[in-house]
């Protein structure tokens, strides 16, 4: 035995360093980079939202009656801190963010974060309903389309999926209200209450996500069903449903789970139009109200909050993917 061979680490030790243990340097470097990207994105969102909301109009004129004098306008502007320079306001805003202070709502006269947290349960309820609807519709559609590849069933399912993906959410919501609330009177047209109130908004919000998940599941499952081990399982006489359930779905699920995680963030952050159409009292509708009332702090807070939810969900998906597949950390 040579000296080099005697001092070389055993094959098992080299393998441990590439499988994602707690001491894996590449893993911690990947986590550090992703956290850095997240902080940078939130900083840019806060800066851009700070500048954009000041282009939406003067909140002082919106809050005062039309016959208010110039002295009254100046007094209110000084009270709200809007008479300071733009740089001074920006520094004060960013300093507050470090302390998790999103500012004071001009309309509600309360901390903006408290107002958002008060509306958050409604948005979570709607997002969960839309997520459940998306999975219930997408998983059977993706499986049926993959198993019937190239047939009229596959073509019909994919055509329906494309229609669902390309139709604007507000148009779907208005159509559902006209059919199921106004004409058939099966569900309420607006408001938050029992299960019946949740059905139409959940369908409206979850339709786009269901189309994306169904298409991805179909393509992933078609690729997996062409593998040798699937043909071996079929050659052993296993039923088709058992082959799909035991071998196909398990191996086709990794890219689908990743997209599902991203869609959860999209549902939480993309409910603005749906909540407005159905008068759903969530964070999305609160954003519209803040824009209507020229409520600068609340506008900035809702935009930053929704962006933070989306970015953090993406961060969790990236980290979970890195744990599952070590090759991701090297890219």
């Amino acid at each position: 035995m040579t000296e080099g061979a005697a001092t070389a680490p055993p094959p098992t030790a080299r393998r441990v360093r590439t499988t994602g243990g707690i001491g894996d340097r590449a893993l911690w470097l990947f986590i550090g980079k992703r956290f850095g990207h997240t902080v940078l994105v939130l900083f840019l969102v806060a800066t851009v939202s700070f500048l954009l909301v000041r282009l939406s109009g003067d909140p002082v004129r919106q809050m005062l009656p039309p016959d208010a004098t110039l002295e009254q306008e100046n007094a209110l502007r000084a009270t709200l801190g809007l008479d300071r320079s733009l740089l001074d306001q920006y520094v004060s805003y960013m300093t507050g963010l470090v302390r998790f202070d999103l500012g004071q709502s001009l309309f509600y006269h309360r901390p903006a974060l408290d107002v958002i947290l008060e509306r958050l349960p409604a948005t979570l309820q709607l997002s969960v309903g839309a997520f459940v609807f998306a999975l219930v519709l997408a998983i059977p559609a993706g499986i049926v389309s993959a198993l019937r590849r190239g047939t009229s069933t596959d073509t019909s399912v994919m055509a329906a999926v494309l229609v669902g993906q390309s139709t604007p959410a507000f148009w779907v919501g208005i159509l559902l209200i006209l059919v199921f609330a106004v004409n058939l009177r099966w569900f309420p047209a607006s408001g938050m209450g029992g299960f019946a109130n949740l059905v139409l908004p959940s369908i409206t919000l979850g339709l786009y996500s269901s189309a994306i998940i169904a298409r991805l599941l179909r393509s992933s499952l078609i690729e997996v069903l062409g593998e040798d081990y699937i043909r071996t399982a079929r050659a052993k006489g296993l039923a088709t449903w058992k082959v799909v359930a035991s071998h196909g779905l398990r191996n086709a699920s990794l890219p689908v789970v990743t997209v599902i995680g991203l869609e959860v963030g999209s549902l939480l952050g993309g409910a603005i139009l749906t909540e407005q159409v159905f008068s759903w009292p969530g964070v999305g509708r609160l954003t519209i109200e803040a824009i209507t009332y020229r409520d600068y702090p609340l506008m900035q807070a809702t935009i930053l909050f929704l962006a933070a939810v989306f970015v953090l969900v993406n961060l969790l998906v990236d980290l979970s993917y890195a744990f599952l597949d070590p090759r991701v950390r090297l890219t």
Side-chain angles (χ1 to χ4, degrees), residues 268-287:
L268 287 169
I272 295 178
L273 291 178
T274 303
E275 291 183 359
Q276 185 67 14
V277 170
F278 290 94
S279 298
W280 192 266
V283 179
R285 190 156 185 253
L286 181 65
T287 305

Side-chain angles (χ1 to χ4, degrees), residues 51-73:
L51 297 175
L52 287 181
V53 295
R54 277 151 180 79
L55 300 176
S56 62
D58 187 356
V60 174
R61 293 185 178 179
Q62 182 75 16
M63 298 171 70
L64 290 175
D67 57 347
T69 63
L70 182 60
E71 289 74 15
Q72 290 175 314
E73 290 185 10

Side-chain angles (χ1 to χ4, degrees), residues 9-256:
T12 52
R14 288 197 295 270
R15 192 179 310 121
V16 168
R17 285 201 296 269
T18 62
T19 52
I22 195 67
D24 191 336
R25 185 173 178 274
L27 175 63
W28 286 109
L29 185 61
F30 177 83
I31 293 175
K33 286 183 178 178
R34 286 296 181 268
F35 270 111
H37 292 165
T38 301
V39 173
L40 177 61
V41 169
L42 292 179
F43 170 77
L44 293 176
V45 169
T47 301
V48 172
S49 64
F50 174 85
L51 297 175
L52 287 181
V53 295
R54 277 151 180 79
L55 300 176
S56 62
D58 187 356
V60 174
R61 293 185 178 179
Q62 182 75 16
M63 298 171 70
L64 290 175
D67 57 347
T69 63
L70 182 60
E71 289 74 15
Q72 290 175 314
E73 290 185 10
N74 292 334
L76 182 57
R77 188 168 284 106
T79 302
L80 300 177
L82 300 176
D83 59 336
R84 297 179 295 170
S85 67
L86 190 64
L87 179 60
D88 192 16
Q89 294 180 47
Y90 176 73
V91 172
S92 177
Y93 172 61
M94 298 303 288
T95 305
L97 290 184
V98 176
R99 304 190 304 268
F100 296 99
D101 180 9
L102 302 185
Q104 191 83 4
S105 170
L106 304 182
F107 182 77
Y108 291 97
H109 303 289
R110 296 169 54 198
L113 183 59
D114 291 351
V115 179
I116 292 174
L117 293 179
E118 193 175 76
R119 299 289 190 95
L120 184 59
T123 297
L124 290 176
Q125 183 180 356
L126 176 59
S127 299
V128 170
F131 181 67
V132 171
F133 168 77
L135 291 185
V136 168
L137 185 65
I139 293 178
I143 294 175
V144 170
S145 186
L147 294 178
R148 302 287 184 181
R149 179 186 182 187
T151 65
S152 57
T153 302
D154 179 26
T155 303
S156 301
V157 172
M158 285 299 103
V161 164
L162 288 176
V163 170
Q165 188 174 356
S166 56
T167 306
F170 71 89
W171 191 84
V172 174
I174 293 173
L175 186 64
L176 292 177
I177 290 175
L178 288 176
V179 175
F180 295 102
V182 177
N183 293 326
L184 298 178
R185 299 181 183 276
W186 288 356
F187 302 102
S190 62
M192 182 181 176
F195 176 77
N197 296 78
L198 188 61
V199 173
L200 297 185
S202 297
I203 294 174
T204 302
L205 184 59
L207 191 61
Y208 180 81
S209 297
S210 68
I212 292 179
I213 296 172
R215 291 183 62 188
L216 183 61
L217 179 59
R218 173 186 178 273
S219 61
S220 182
L221 195 55
I222 286 176
E223 183 178 350
V224 170
L225 292 178
E227 298 290 338
D228 291 339
Y229 63 89
I230 294 293
R231 285 192 286 268
T232 302
R234 284 174 169 166
K236 290 180 179 178
L238 294 178
T240 300
W241 68 268
K242 194 170 185 178
V243 172
V244 173
S246 301
H247 303 283
L249 284 178
R250 178 183 301 176
N251 293 287
S253 62
L254 186 58
V256 178

